[in-house]
Amino acid sequence: MLPPFWDYRREYDELRDEVLAAVDRVFKSGQLILGPEGVAFERAMAGYVGVSGGVGVNSGTDAIYIALAAAGVTAGDEVITVPNTAVPTVSAIQILGARPVLVDIRDEDFLMDVAQIEAAITPRTKAIIPVHLYGQCVDLDPLMAIATRHGLKVIEDCAQSQGALYKNRRCGSIGTASTFSFYPTKLLGGYGDGGMVLSDDEAVVRLARSLRFYGMEETYYAERHGYNSRLDEVHAAILALKLPRVDGWIGRRRHIASQYRRGFEGSGLRLPTENAYGRHVYHLFVVETPGDRDATLQRIDARGLKCGVQYRWPIHLMRGYEDLGYRAGQFPVAEKKAQRIFSLPIYPHLKDEEVDEVVAVVRAAI
């Protein structure tokens, strides 16, 4: 029987006793929101990434707009990012009344083409969001140099890259702030939504902490306009017990990726590139087919295997973002990739023999 594209239940079976003990501990504590479990997890995540402070919030989307707001982005500002990302990256910008400005990606690794950033900067540009897509980092040194020259904030979108390295530095430790998602499919995932803002800037952390709770600080007095976005104690406790396992899970993902590389050698599929400057954590294993991707997926599906496409439509080609004013053909690399890529199952509890079965089915289909 072929494995599912993703399934949390094997992980839960392994951790069930610890998860239920953590949930029971929280329920018995009498505190469900903004309590000691959340504080402990914020400190643990900050320590893992290598920054001084973390602020738990309700989702990865909330983390992005709260981080932007805490960094000073307001209505009318422009924020540079990429078209091949999940909708939350750009929807978070628009929640603030700011405007997403897009630049194309690199052909070799699906990541932001840093060389295109300066041409996109205007007097209204306030920040850049590099999306560390699929499990590895954007080339941050030249990006940070551009941001410094132009006085721009950098908010790292780390939703798909927990544990990735850039020149031996943790993903999320380099920009003004970084954002993480704990959506169930993520490398560090909960059993529901969750997110976090991380930063070495004490002022950013302090403001993010206020913004997540209606703009309040010590009392029920709003110092500023804010939001309701809090990571609950149950999820904080569960995520905290999973965090020490992240590096082991990354090792397993990298093993599966190497197994795929051997299995698809000479197949004609273009396999993921791992940049020399960092460590890929393989949140997704994305391949590119030279032929008709959708016909290939139909043949794979007919053999009983489910694969994914992240992402089938670039942001600028979605009806909901027509108002950005972009047109088809404006970001040719992102558009080409969207027509050719698909993702293979990859998660730590996938067995070696199941990986071999995936290889056999996909090779037969292509």
Side-chain angles (χ1 to χ4, degrees):
M1 186 173 179
L2 290 165
F5 181 70
W6 176 80
D7 193 342
Y8 71 89
R9 287 172 293 185
R10 295 179 186 180
E11 176 197 280
Y12 178 66
D13 286 344
E14 177 188 328
L15 302 178
R16 182 176 184 273
D17 290 345
E18 293 175 73
V19 168
L20 294 180
V23 171
D24 188 58
R25 183 178 70 246
V26 172
F27 287 168
K28 287 178 177 177
S29 73
Q31 189 155 7
L32 301 176
I33 302 289
L34 297 183
E37 301 283 354
V39 171
F41 178 56
E42 288 171 347
R43 290 174 178 166
M45 265 293 290
Y48 178 86
V49 171
V51 297
S52 59
V55 181
V57 296
N58 189 58
S59 68
T61 310
D62 289 10
I64 296 172
Y65 72 72
I66 287 174
L68 287 168
V73 175
T74 61
D77 292 337
E78 294 178 350
V79 179
I80 297 172
T81 190
V82 289
N84 69 322
T85 184
V87 169
T89 307
V90 291
S91 67
I93 296 168
Q94 292 192 309
I95 285 170
L96 297 175
R99 181 178 187 272
V101 174
L102 307 179
V103 298
D104 210 351
I105 59 172
R106 306 196 306 185
D107 180 75
E108 62 268 27
D109 58 11
F110 309 101
L111 299 173
M112 176 181 275
D113 188 346
V114 175
Q116 297 189 30
I117 291 175
E118 284 198 284
I121 294 173
T122 75
R124 300 173 73 175
T125 306
K126 193 65 169 284
I128 306 169
I129 300 181
V131 180
H132 301 314
L133 199 68
Y134 301 151
Q136 69 175 336
C137 296
V138 172
D139 194 359
L140 286 170
D141 281 352
L143 186 151
M144 294 301 296
I146 292 168
T148 299
R149 279 199 303 273
H150 294 273
L152 305 178
K153 306 295 185 181
V154 174
I155 309 299
E156 297 179 64
D157 182 346
C158 305
Q160 295 190 1
S161 55
Q162 173 105 27
L165 299 179
Y166 179 78
K167 298 183 179 179
N168 294 317
R169 292 172 287 177
R170 292 277 193 190
C171 171
S173 65
I174 297 165
T176 309
S178 59
T179 64
F180 288 78
S181 168
F182 306 124
Y183 186 75
T185 58
K186 299 299 190 284
L187 204 145
L188 177 60
Y191 300 127
D193 272 318
M196 189 169 289
V197 177
L198 291 164
S199 181
D200 249 340
D201 187 323
E202 184 179 342
V204 169
V205 172
R206 186 171 60 250
L207 184 51
R209 201 174 298 284
S210 171
L211 290 171
R212 74 167 175 189
F213 190 48
Y214 308 109
M216 298 173 183
E217 293 182 1
E218 299 299 326
T219 66
Y220 279 88
Y221 179 91
E223 300 287 346
R224 57 192 59 83
H225 170 71
Y227 312 95
N228 174 20
S229 182
R230 298 163 293 191
L231 181 66
D232 65 70
E233 290 286 274
V234 169
H235 271 107
I238 293 170
L239 291 163
L241 75 85
K242 289 186 176 186
L243 181 59
R245 293 172 166 85
V246 163
D247 287 336
W249 288 340
I250 289 170
R252 177 62 187 160
R253 286 174 178 271
R254 289 179 60 82
H255 171 81
I256 294 169
S258 67
Q259 195 174 344
Y260 276 144
R261 290 187 187 282
R262 291 191 301 271
F264 287 113
E265 187 175 356
S267 68
L269 286 179
R270 183 173 176 179
L271 304 179
T273 298
E274 180 168 18
N275 291 313
Y277 59 64
R279 177 179 70 164
H280 202 314
V281 297
Y282 294 101
H283 168 67
L284 293 168
F285 193 90
V286 179
V287 299
E288 187 174 348
T289 176
D292 186 330
R293 186 267 317 279
D294 291 339
T296 300
L297 285 177
Q298 287 175 5
R299 292 193 295 272
I300 292 171
D301 187 73
R303 288 167 168 82
L305 178 66
K306 300 296 183 183
C307 293
V309 180
Q310 292 88 12
Y311 300 96
R312 190 177 290 274
W313 300 279
I315 296 296
H316 68 291
L317 299 184
M318 295 184 186
R319 190 159 46 248
Y321 289 95
E322 289 177 346
D323 61 312
L324 296 182
Y326 295 113
R327 63 186 184 280
Q330 202 157 348
F331 304 108
V333 180
E335 292 174 31
K336 179 184 72 173
K337 296 292 186 184
Q339 294 172 359
R340 297 182 180 181
I341 60 172
F342 66 95
S343 306
L344 303 177
I346 187 165
Y347 45 94
H349 292 77
L350 202 61
K351 300 173 184 176
D352 283 355
E353 56 268 29
E354 291 176 323
V355 177
D356 290 338
E357 289 170 0
V358 171
V359 171
V361 167
V362 173
R363 287 195 73 114
I366 63 175

